[in-house]
Every structure is written in C-alpha cells, then in structure tokens.
Amino acid sequence: MELYELTAREIADGVKAKKFSAEDVTRACLGRLSSLETDLNACITVMEDSAVAKARAIDSGLARGDEMGPLAGAPYIAKDNFCSRGVRTTCSSRILENWTPTYDASAISYMNDAGAILMAKSNLDEFAMGSSTENSIIGPTKNPRDLRRVPGGSSGGSAAAVAAGYCPVALGSDTGGSVRQPAAFCGIQGMKPSYGEVSRYGIVAYASSLDQVSPLARSVEDLAMALEVLARPDPRDTTCDAYDRPKFTDALLLQDLKGKRIGVFAGFEAEMMDAELYGALTSAADHCKSAGAVVEPIDLPIAVKYGVATYYVTALADASSQLACYDGIRYGAHIDGPTLADMYANTRTASFGEEVRRRIILGTALLTEGYYQNYYGPALKVRTKMSAEFDELFSRFDAYLLPTSPSMPYMLGMKEEDPTRMYLGDVFTVPISLGGLPGINISMGLTADGLPLSVQLVGQRYDDARLLGIASVIERIAGRPGVATPDRDKTLRRGGNGA
Ligand code: GLN
C-alpha cells in the first residue's frame, strides 16, 4: 500500500507511532498530484513548499514529544473559495484571479491547528455555481474514475483530488449539493453538515442562507474526524450555532442498526433516475435491514416537486446580493469607465463568467417589486412547508435514504448548453439544503464499467453524529472506496460520447 492511499486516521496514527514521517506522507501525496494533475486539472494552486515546511514542523514537534493535533501529518486540499492567508483565492473567477486574502477562513485555521497540512487549493465552478466543475478560469476538472466524464460540482476539484489519492481529506462548500454530488460522481464519501454546525467565516459566499463547509474523504471515519475539528461555535459567523458539539468520532462505535428506523425514498416518477442508481438505493436499504434496522418506503412530494424551483429562487436572490461586493473597488478586478456606473458595468461584465452573470441578473430581478411578491415570497413559504414535510418524517424515522444524484457522471460538455438540465440534476440534494439538514453521500461501489454508485443518507438537523454512526455501519457492509487511478487509454479505446 502506498502512503497516498492511507486515510487521515491511518496517517495520524502512523505518524504518531513514527512508522513514517509527515514529510514522507506529504511528499507521497504531492508526488501523486504531480503525476496525475495534467490528466485531472483538479487544482488551481499547489503549495508544495509550504506543505513540506509544515510537514517538517509536525515531525519536529512530534520528535520533541509535543501534542500536534488529531489530524497531525494528514495533507488536505481546500476548495478555492476558502480564504487562505497569503495564498491566492480565485473562486475560479476572473474577478478574483489575482486576489490574495490576508486571513484564513475559520475552517482552514481549525484544520491547520489540528495538524493537517494544506497542500493545494482546488478547482470549482465559478463562485460555486454549478454541478460539473466545467465553468472555471483554469478549465474543467476530469473525473478520475473516467477521464471523459465530469467530476460533478461545484467542489469537483476537491472530490477528484480525494478520489485520485492526492490527499485523504478535502474541504468543499455545499450550498445545494456541491459536496455530496461530486462525492457521488467521483465515488467517495462527502458530508454536508447541518446548517449552523460549521463556521462559514472566510468562505466566499454564494448563498449565505444555504452555504455550509463540508468535508470529503474516502472513509466515514475521516469525515467524522474532520467534522470534529471543524464544528465548533465561532462568534465570527452569527449563524454558526453556539451549542456544545458531541464527539463525532464516538458515534462510530455503533455496531449495528438494531432499533433504528430508516425511510427509503420510493416516490419516483417515470425515468426520474438512471437505472444503476435504483440498484444502489436498494442495496443500501438491504444493508440497513441486514444490520437490524426497520426499513420502510417514504415519499417527499413537496421536496421533490418544488425543491429545485424553490432552491434556485432562494439561492439566486441570495447570490445577487452577496456578489454585489465585487464592485471593482473593494476586491479584485477593476476596469475603468467614464462614470462610476460604467466602471461597475465594465468590471462586472468582463470579469464574471456567463453563468454567474445569468444568476446575478435573475436574482436581482427576483428581488424587485412584483417578482418579489410572486416568486421570492412564495419560495420562502414553500421552504417552510418543506421543513414541515421533513419534520413529519422524522417523527417516524431516524434517517432516510435517497439518491444523491439522479444521474451517473455524464460526459464533459454534455450539459453546458442548457443550464436548466443541469439544475434538474440537483433534485435530491437541494431540498436537504433548504431544510438545513445534514446529508452524507455514501459510496456503494462501482459498476462493471468502473463508474461510481452511491446513496444519500439524510438526518434531522443537528443529528450529525448519529447520522455518521449510521453511515459507518452502511459503509462497513458496502465497503470503503479505494483510490482511483485514471485509465488514460480509455479515452482512446472507447472514444466518442457514450452516455
Ligand atoms: N448545483 C447547485 C447550484 O448550482 C449547487 C451548488 C452548490 O452547492 N454550491 O447552485
């Protein structure tokens, strides 16, 4: 087994036991990155020197007998919308192409304090708007399980990096599925915690009422370890709740699902989903049964019917106000004009990509007199109704299973032309975000063609620990995902644009 294949837990244990050094692991991970990055294009900035320096500092601390933190020696990558002090943070946008923050996001400081080693900043859809990591100033990221396909998005760089073995853990942001869906497309585990669990301070906002810092990993245990480091009260984010978090890793002691009630989504309409993914959902339900759970079908009529529309109204309205700060003066790009209004227009027109411009314009329209009453107001009401639907279910179930994405990872370029086709792919992730609920993508292995299968496990708000426990039982039966080594020949052998 290569060092880059280890989980964060194995690295932290091995480094502490002096089986290998943090520097060995970091060099192995950087080596893996440099051997695959021309194929994958997962990273915007690679921080080789500072990563090696930090690894050496960990090694000398350990040699002195110092306590170096629960993730000591584990390299990680953060999506390039997390502010990193002294390191360019682009959001994959021309408007922030040369912007370097002077402070770290809380999530980054917590990871660094826990001994994790920031190795790179990963690719994303511009400002986290998208589901395929194709809309980026550095071009698309490729799926390590099949280079012809998208890795999902918007945290596609982080997901591809973890799947390919660049690092055991990565950080992404999940607003409407941007960690769960790329985790599904790349065949790894990814968790959106409850809204309010992790501080959003220092992540560049897309839609503040939905954004949540979310870890990706190749094991549920690593998700729990990361969450234990990330989840804590932070006065710098007023939506980050001040309650005492449980010890998330303790939840993994759960041995079986006896006494647990799990709902399985059964409200499918014709051709709603790729056939392989029904199979994955059914096997996950079977695993729960074999672990002793009571499993029953559920429906989510409001969430499934109105979720996508409600989400896009809410998120775009949020985005139009959040992105107003890129005015050509305070941050990033500046393109002059004869008047102040011309300067705004010149800067924003030339420096935001097409999808971001579309969303700002739609979001602004949604907040104007008339549209507000007809769309934004009703969207807020549906959001409340959806929460009631979830609450009713949680009076009967501990958690429920549903698909993460209705489709298998699709070919690069396939959905670029028609944004609404891409939006519809968010049908199973956005309602969970609107409800503020925790959701975990669990890998369910690979098809005969090597494409990843997965399910989404959803719990009640602030029930993240219990959800991790249930996910770990399912993972024990389904098997933990391994590192993907991209097959360069597949592109040539099969070519074309097969689905
Ligand atoms: N695909 C969704 C969107 O484009 C979700 C993005 C996200 O979670 N950041 O808005």
Side-chain angles (χ1 to χ4, degrees):
M1 189 146 193
E2 304 289 342
L3 289 176
Y4 63 74
E5 291 177 277
L6 300 179
T7 64
R9 160 70 76 200
E10 290 161 349
I11 293 171
D13 289 350
V15 163
K16 228 167 271 166
K18 313 248 167 29
K19 282 198 204 144
F20 40 78
S21 67
E23 186 174 344
D24 294 338
V25 177
T26 305
R27 289 198 185 278
C29 288
L30 285 165
R32 180 74 176 166
L33 182 154
S34 66
S35 70
L36 295 178
E37 187 55 7
T38 28
D39 294 310
L40 297 179
N41 198 37
C43 298
I44 296 181
T45 306
V46 181
M47 301 154 63
E48 199 166 336
D49 295 343
S50 64
V52 171
K54 169 91 192 263
R56 287 191 178 145
I58 301 269
D59 287 331
S60 11
L62 289 169
R64 281 195 305 271
D66 296 349
E67 175 47 60
M68 299 307 288
L71 293 174
Y76 77 103
I77 290 180
K79 187 175 180 177
D80 208 24
N81 61 349
F82 283 68
C83 289
S84 44
R85 184 156 48 101
V87 180
R88 190 167 80 114
T89 297
T90 66
C91 289
S92 279
S93 180
R94 201 163 287 151
I95 210 157
L96 290 177
E97 200 171 358
N98 298 309
W99 182 64
T100 300
T102 52
Y103 64 97
D104 278 328
S106 293
I108 299 260
S109 359
Y110 300 157
M111 290 292 281
N112 294 349
D113 291 349
I117 297 164
L118 182 59
M119 206 176 103
K121 303 289 298 292
S122 59
N123 199 15
L124 64 151
D125 287 299
E126 185 176 1
F127 281 99
M129 297 176 182
S131 309
S132 65
T133 317
E134 293 174 292
N135 293 321
S136 159
I137 38 167
I138 65 156
T141 294
K142 316 274 170 54
N143 191 321
R145 307 231 179 240
D146 183 337
L147 295 172
R148 299 166 304 165
R149 294 174 195 268
V150 302
S154 62
S155 313
S158 287
V162 170
Y166 289 11
C167 51
V169 188
L171 299 181
S173 61
D174 188 315
T175 305
S178 274
V179 157
R180 289 162 287 159
Q181 183 259 19
F185 275 24
C186 292
I188 55 167
Q189 327 294 41
M191 174 180 198
K192 183 193 88 72
S194 298
Y195 184 80
E197 192 71 70
V198 180
S199 171
R200 292 178 295 107
Y201 177 75
I203 60 165
V204 177
Y206 157 19
S208 293
S209 73
L210 298 157
D211 297 341
Q212 194 58 202
V213 169
S214 305
L216 302 108
R218 293 186 305 270
S219 76
V220 170
E221 183 180 32
D222 280 4
L223 293 180
M225 286 181 81
L227 194 60
E228 207 152 277
V229 165
L230 294 166
R232 60 183 73 182
D234 181 4
R236 291 171 298 186
D237 171 7
T238 49
T239 63
C240 180
D241 235 313
Y243 88 109
D244 281 336
R245 272 68 171 168
K247 204 164 178 322
F248 295 101
T249 47
D250 282 353
L252 307 181
L253 298 171
L254 192 69
Q255 289 306 312
D256 56 44
L257 299 180
K258 285 195 191 101
K260 296 268 185 295
R261 295 153 308 161
I262 312 276
V264 180
F265 181 70
F268 295 105
E269 286 160 23
E271 286 165 36
M272 195 175 202
M273 200 163 77
D274 284 352
E276 300 94 320
L277 293 166
Y278 282 107
L281 188 65
T282 313
S283 0
D286 290 343
H287 295 341
C288 291
K289 271 185 226 156
S290 70
V294 173
V295 177
E296 279 170 28
I298 58 158
D299 198 359
L300 289 162
I302 302 178
V304 167
K305 187 152 183 212
Y306 301 108
V308 171
T310 308
Y311 167 82
Y312 277 94
V313 170
T314 316
L316 269 48
D318 263 19
S320 75
S321 50
Q322 256 105 62
L323 270 62
C325 62
Y326 307 102
D327 56 5
I329 298 171
R330 282 176 286 185
Y331 306 94
H334 168 90
I335 301 173
D336 246 332
T339 66
L340 184 64
D342 290 325
M343 187 278 292
Y344 289 153
N346 293 346
T347 303
R348 290 165 67 85
T349 308
S351 315
F352 283 132
E354 190 188 342
E355 180 64 17
V356 175
R357 288 202 305 275
R358 173 173 21 247
R359 292 190 186 204
I360 292 174
I361 291 167
L362 281 170
T364 308
L366 286 165
L367 292 175
T368 55
E369 179 71 22
Y371 286 109
Y372 185 98
Q373 287 81 349
N374 288 333
Y375 294 98
Y376 190 67
L380 295 182
K381 286 188 191 144
V382 178
R383 193 172 177 179
T384 309
K385 283 227 177 278
M386 225 177 273
S387 290
E389 182 171 272
F390 291 134
D391 287 347
E392 192 281 320
L393 274 181
F394 286 123
S395 67
R396 292 182 285 132
F397 296 100
D398 297 292
Y400 49 80
L401 287 167
L402 68 167
T404 302
S405 164
S407 71
M408 298 293 283
Y410 40 85
M411 292 292 175
L412 287 149
M414 199 171 129
K415 296 206 181 169
E416 256 167 6
E417 299 296 303
D418 179 2
T420 42
R421 276 183 68 197
M422 189 151 342
Y423 301 167
L424 291 172
D426 297 336
V427 57
F428 296 120
T429 47
V430 293
I432 311 313
S433 305
L434 288 163
L437 311 177
I440 304 181
N441 179 75
I442 309 173
S443 159
M444 295 297 293
L446 305 173
T447 62
D449 276 346
L451 289 180
L453 297 167
S454 62
V455 287
Q456 182 180 200
L457 181 74
V458 174
Q460 212 159 351
R461 184 140 183 227
Y462 292 133
D463 209 11
D464 302 55
R466 189 150 58 136
L467 201 65
L468 282 161
I470 299 174
S472 72
V473 173
I474 299 176
E475 179 192 63
R476 225 171 286 147
I477 304 173
R480 230 168 57 183
V483 162
T485 295
D487 179 356
R488 288 179 183 131
D489 298 337
K490 202 167 187 177
T491 329
L492 305 172
R493 262 202 324 269
R494 303 224 308 230
N497 58 351

